[in-house]
Amino acid sequence: MENIDWGNLPFGYFKTDYNVRCYWKNGEWGKLEISTSEYVNLHIAATCLHYGQEAFEGMKVFRGKDGKIRVFRWEENAKRMQTSADGIMMAKVPEELFFEALTTAVKKNEKYIPPYGTGASLYVRPLLIGSGPQVGVKPAEEYMFMIFVGPVGPYFKEGFKPVNIQLVRDYDRAAPQGTGHIKVGGNYAASLRPADRAKKDGFASVLFLDAKENKYIDEAGPANFFGIKDNTYITPKSQTILPSITNKSLVQIAKDMGMKIERRPVPVEELETFEEAGACGTAAIISPIGKIVDQQTGKVYEFAKDKAGPVSTKLYETLRGIQEGVLPDKHNWNLIIE
Ligand SMILES: *Cc1c(COP(=O)(O)O)cnc(C)c1O
């Protein structure tokens, strides 16, 4: 792959050679199939198309300094996809099938795993969709599980720099007792319009508040939020937040660094008191937040100017070092694919 400019790849779709697919019919999963097509042949009445019966995952594979291929905490993604399947009544993908699909998709596309030192990685996108026909609102009787992969560039091309976020009050991401806690496609269409407005207003992303009272911090677009103060890592607790595996890992690293952890409702006003703030997820690990600006009132909460705070930087560097095989993986988070 001499001709790929790894360091300048966007975070976007990139055609590779193979993807994998598996079908659930008559109450059981079939054999994993390897495909070279970028397309799926779907029934016109498939429930994923009409009623959003669909869940996805996102994970990354890294080529370490030692040349080894590492997958970060895949069991957590496999479990979360089962929780998502359960939440919208889809067939669950057994861990062994998830593992077989993941390792097959990665090995078959090994030449697309970016070299160490480029900041790029191989993004892995598992999908589970209701493929059987229904016209009434009912779960499908057939499902399809797929994984495609593709190289993605470093999230921060100009380095680890703070981004600005727009706090929105006139849009909600997920209903209080809805599906915010699972990674289902249905949650994301609702976030497109506020995200688009934020982009046009010059922000990198949005910050959603809780849909019930509009008082507490919920999610930072498709990422979890955290704040740092008094040697404490604080992250919101809410029924509508998607449990981020990156956040869970940062919590552990913060503990290892001797910090206190608080997972509780975080009122908007508390933003005033944070020394640092960030958004976290697989794509960027951490997006350090420079400013949060209230879309309605214009109120500005500032955390950093042109450089991320020391705690966010340490957390980011530690997690990245573990993923790339440069720092000791003391919690056994990486799977090495031979
Ligand atoms: C995927 C996702 C995250 C981040 O989860 P990770 O497991 O850290 O990648 C956070 N919030 C939402 C809404 C997401 O969809």
Side-chain angles (χ1 to χ4, degrees), residues 121-236:
S121 55
L122 188 77
Y123 187 72
V124 177
R125 171 53 61 88
L127 289 172
L128 175 63
I129 65 174
S131 51
Q134 292 289 9
V135 173
V137 181
K138 286 193 276 280
E141 285 175 7
E142 291 177 13
Y143 294 88
M144 211 179 153
F145 169 55
M146 295 165 269
I147 296 187
F148 71 82
V149 302
V152 293
Y155 204 82
F156 300 103
K157 296 202 169 42
E158 290 91 43
F160 183 63
K161 291 256 174 66
V163 298
N164 296 334
I165 304 258
Q166 185 172 56
L167 188 156
V168 300
R169 294 176 182 275
D170 52 348
Y171 288 97
D172 294 313
R173 191 187 80 92
Q177 297 184 86
T179 53
H181 64 294
I182 53 178
K183 211 166 176 83
V184 298
N187 294 335
Y188 298 83
S191 72
L192 295 176
R193 194 162 278 288
D196 180 67
R197 181 179 63 187
K199 292 257 150 69
K200 286 183 176 137
D201 289 348
F203 295 92
S205 187
V206 297
L207 186 67
F208 290 107
L209 301 184
D210 77 286
K212 192 173 181 183
E213 295 184 83
N214 231 245
K215 269 168 62 177
Y216 301 98
I217 294 170
D218 215 69
E219 290 225 51
N224 279 185
F225 174 88
F226 69 86
I228 305 285
K229 68 175 170 191
D230 308 327
N231 197 36
T232 309
Y233 181 100
I234 300 157
T235 191

Side-chain angles (χ1 to χ4, degrees), residues 74-95:
W74 72 271
E75 301 97 326
E76 294 287 333
N77 295 87
K79 273 190 232 143
R80 191 168 65 187
M81 186 168 243
Q82 292 190 343
T83 309
S84 299
D86 206 45
I88 56 169
M89 300 197 71
M90 297 195 286
K92 285 190 212 167
V93 176
E95 249 186 54

